[in-house]
Amino acid sequence: MKKTKPTIAAERNYVVEKEKFVPVSQYYGEDTFNHKVMQEKLPKNSYKKLLEAINEDKTLDAETANVVAEAMKQWALEKGATHFAHWFQPMTGITAEKHDAFADPSGIGEVVERFSGKQLVQGEPDASSFPSGGIRSTFEARGYTAWDMSSPAFIRRTGISTTLCIPTAFISYTGEALDKKTPLLRSNRALNISALNMLKLLGSKNVKKVYTTLGPEQEYFLIDMDYFFKRQDLVLGGRTIVGAPPAKGQELEDQYFGSIKERMSSYMHDVEEELFKLAIPAKTRHNEVAPSQFEIAPVFEEANLAVDHNQLVMDTMKAVAKKHNLACLLHEKPFAKINGSGKHVNWSLSDNNGNNLLNPGKTPHDNIAFLVFLIATVRAVYKNADILRASVATYANDHRLGANEAPPAIISVFLGDQLTNILTNIEKGIVTEATNAEIIDLGISSLPLVSKDNTDRNRTSPFAFTGNKFEFRAVGSSQSISFPAAVLNTIVAESLDYLAEKIKAKAAKNINQAVFEVLKGEIKDIKPILYNGDNYIKEWELEAAKRRLPNDKTTPIALKALVTDKALNLFEKYQVLSKVELKSRYLIYIEKYIKDMEIEVKCLNNICMSQVIPAASAYQKILAKSINEAKKALGNSAVLSAQREILKNILVLINKIYSTNKEILSKVESASSIHDEAKKADMLCNKVKTKMDELREYVDELEGLVDDELWPMPKFWEMLFIS
Ligand code: ADP
Ligand code: MG
């Protein structure tokens, strides 16, 4: 390709000139309608009522809603907002918002800014085009958005436009969830009930609420925007569907945690500034393993907030990148044969006093609770590994899971040697140190603090205990973390209830003894899910099969776990998703898989027919001419054999590309007559995907033969190393 000069910092002058840098503490959260603002702007009584509504999950009376709306409007106008929007998370996986102007005609040629309690609490977007998986046919398209008071309203600036955004849930008029937020909120409620029950049973007092905490570590790539716009595969599908790996990849490991380049540092600074204004606690940033790959991680937050914030993080990263003439790639596998991007979702449970329930405590009592919650989680994952796998199944993530750098499609749990030993001892009933007469001292009172430094850093496990939290690593970098979190909450709630029942049945005895007897039996049962070894090796796959752990490698297979009787009953029982809702979600995910693949097929066809083959033909013509001219000068000399061979290879590849592409198109065509979406997805996955990979091999081989100046797309080495 005709080389453009890299758009280095000096040329682009992308660094926004800043007059002076203000300490973060001075502007943190300034674009959120937070408690400080509420206290300032609301009458005492209204603030009290709002707090009650937020904390106790109650509805707000109409009068207070009006007062809150007025205060919110005043605040937003001061911030320069002209519009308000109900901000929600439809099943597309990204966020949606419909803007309404505050300005409202108040007479001829005049307006006043208005915003009522009703407009704050409920909205009615024309939502016919959002996926509903058949719940709502388009002719009865009405759905409504409902204010989620637990996530603060915020100001969003795009260009010169400023909008007040109100986080909302999106529900159909018949009450079905049409979004990603609603099931998460329901799962939080379910987990709270089950966890409180368990804590009560274990004798805890003073605990009023238990909630999930989430800390998503977000990986991403940054490449120069000029390269990005020259690749339709990146623009349309988010990943390169052709392209050979660069001569230098990540083998030197010189990128991981290396010093961050000036341009990227400036970018990160700008991203963080935006996030801090929204009270998103961005904490760490570093280079990742692959060239041009990075990670940003926040301090963990309550689940609902963490999910909203992660969506805003992704939006902000993309928006700010443009200002720096960069493209932020969130796709799970933007570059074949180079590490992909995931989102390690750290998950734990906290009570309203801020105690982490997965933190091994200093007292025997805390340790018992710790063990119960730990084993409940492990059991939940064991019994529902298939559902957990389904929660991260997307077309994009298939390129990553099971490849040689991401956790495999087999879900297993890493606990580390120390905890595994403790569990083994409980199972065997070994008394290590009985310091007093209580049964609890069966090796437990001496449970050491499992600090993060103590737990081995097994990087290959899809679900690892890391000291005081679990880290779910199979989540894709571009996906919403809402559903994986909702699944975890639901299955753990079920496990806690199951254990509670068993403990109660034995509770005539000393409660601690009852707990240990139950745990002893459970540990034996759930052992197959525990694996501390390397998850990437072939032997593990064989071993996992022996242990009967599911190994669903592709999305169409993995998703089926959502519509088993087990899943349908479980989600219905915990009122997270009704059977109708879960089935509709299955359909939406399957349809998304099909559409994603169809887009790539069309894109691949365009690239091959209108870019790759023309470029190869042009070079072929040059070669042929050169051979003919040389032949004229030299006669049929043996020295022509090299050029002849190159020419022949190019022609062979052009033919292979043409015919494989044709084959793909005809397979997709015949798939279009399959009306059962699941069967169609199976067929595309089994018949088309492999052919696309084959086609890629030919194109990439050709890339190595055709004159660099003629190649129609930026190559990997340019995109990954020039910035
Ligand atoms: P790593 O070594 O995996 O990068 P970090 O210490 O950087 O680990 O933590 C990763 C993420 O885990 C951070 O977002 C952090 O806030 C989050 N985290 C820590 N404690 C908890 C917790 N109790 N619940 C949920 N997330 C947590
Ligand atoms: Mg991590």
Side-chain angles (χ1 to χ4, degrees), residues 213 215 217 298-300 346 348 356 452 457 459 469 471:
T213 49
E217 301 167 53
V299 175
F300 67 92
N346 294 269
S348 191
N356 180 350
K452 280 179 61 140
R457 312 250 75 195
R459 289 268 162 209
K469 59 186 160 59
E471 192 170 326

Side-chain angles (χ1 to χ4, degrees), residues 170 263 364:
F170 180 39
R263 183 178 187 187

Side-chain angles (χ1 to χ4, degrees), residues 103-114:
D104 206 23
S106 67
I108 298 172
E110 283 173 23
V111 295
V112 287
E113 273 95 7
R114 267 194 254 269

Side-chain angles (χ1 to χ4, degrees), residues 702-717:
L702 198 58
E703 183 189 310
L705 294 177
V706 171
D707 180 358
D708 199 30
E709 290 277 311
L710 294 175
W711 195 250
M713 286 161 283
K715 297 182 174 178
F716 277 21
W717 71 266

Side-chain angles (χ1 to χ4, degrees), residues 557-575:
I557 294 176
L559 284 177
K560 293 189 205 300
L562 296 183
V563 283
T564 59
D565 285 343
K566 175 182 78 173
L568 292 166
N569 290 331
L570 175 70
F571 282 91
E572 184 154 88
K573 180 175 170 204
Y574 284 89
Q575 296 178 2

Side-chain angles (χ1 to χ4, degrees), residues 275-488:
L275 298 182
F276 292 150
K277 284 188 210 157
L278 294 172
I280 299 174
K283 188 71 178 170
T284 59
R285 58 185 188 197
H286 61 78
N287 286 349
E288 260 302 327
V289 175
S292 288
Q293 191 188 27
F294 309 91
E295 182 187 291
I296 179 169
V299 175
F300 67 92
E301 297 177 286
E302 184 277 316
N304 181 39
L305 206 52
V307 168
D308 284 3
H309 282 172
N310 183 247
Q311 292 299 132
L312 287 172
V313 165
M314 291 193 285
D315 284 354
T316 306
M317 291 199 322
K318 290 198 151 184
V320 173
K322 287 188 188 140
K323 292 190 196 158
H324 291 251
N325 207 47
L326 292 167
C328 173
L329 310 179
L330 293 173
H331 194 282
E332 282 71 8
K333 194 77 178 173
F335 304 98
K337 302 195 173 118
I338 299 276
N339 261 17
S341 298
K343 189 139 54 189
H344 294 177
V345 177
N346 294 269
W347 176 95
S348 191
L349 297 162
S350 173
D351 68 19
N352 57 303
N353 303 314
N355 297 314
N356 180 350
L357 300 180
L358 288 176
N359 207 3
K362 291 200 176 80
T363 66
H365 176 268
D366 285 349
N367 274 336
I368 286 224
F370 163 70
L371 281 172
V372 168
F373 281 89
L374 180 87
I375 288 169
T377 309
V378 177
R379 179 188 174 274
V381 174
Y382 178 47
K383 298 286 175 191
N384 305 289
D386 56 338
I387 304 179
L388 210 50
R389 164 68 182 100
S391 77
V392 299
T394 61
Y395 179 62
N397 215 12
D398 278 4
H399 294 290
R400 178 176 159 262
L401 294 185
N404 226 18
E405 95 276 342
I410 309 160
I411 302 284
S412 64
V413 178
F414 168 86
L415 286 182
D417 291 339
Q418 194 182 44
L419 266 179
T420 308
N421 275 340
I422 290 167
L423 296 201
T424 311
N425 285 345
I426 295 174
E427 190 197 346
K428 289 185 189 150
I430 293 176
V431 183
T432 50
E433 198 184 337
T435 51
N436 63 41
E438 275 189 312
I439 191 81
I440 187 170
D441 281 328
L442 282 174
I444 303 307
S445 64
S446 55
L447 178 62
L449 262 184
V450 185
S451 73
K452 280 179 61 140
D453 310 322
N454 260 331
T455 48
D456 342 5
R457 312 250 75 195
N458 180 321
R459 289 268 162 209
T460 65
S461 174
F463 201 83
F465 186 73
T466 48
N468 55 8
K469 59 186 160 59
F470 280 98
E471 192 170 326
F472 186 21
R473 302 202 182 110
V475 184
S477 49
S478 69
Q479 85 171 96
S480 158
I481 59 174
S482 192
F483 191 47
V487 168
L488 270 172

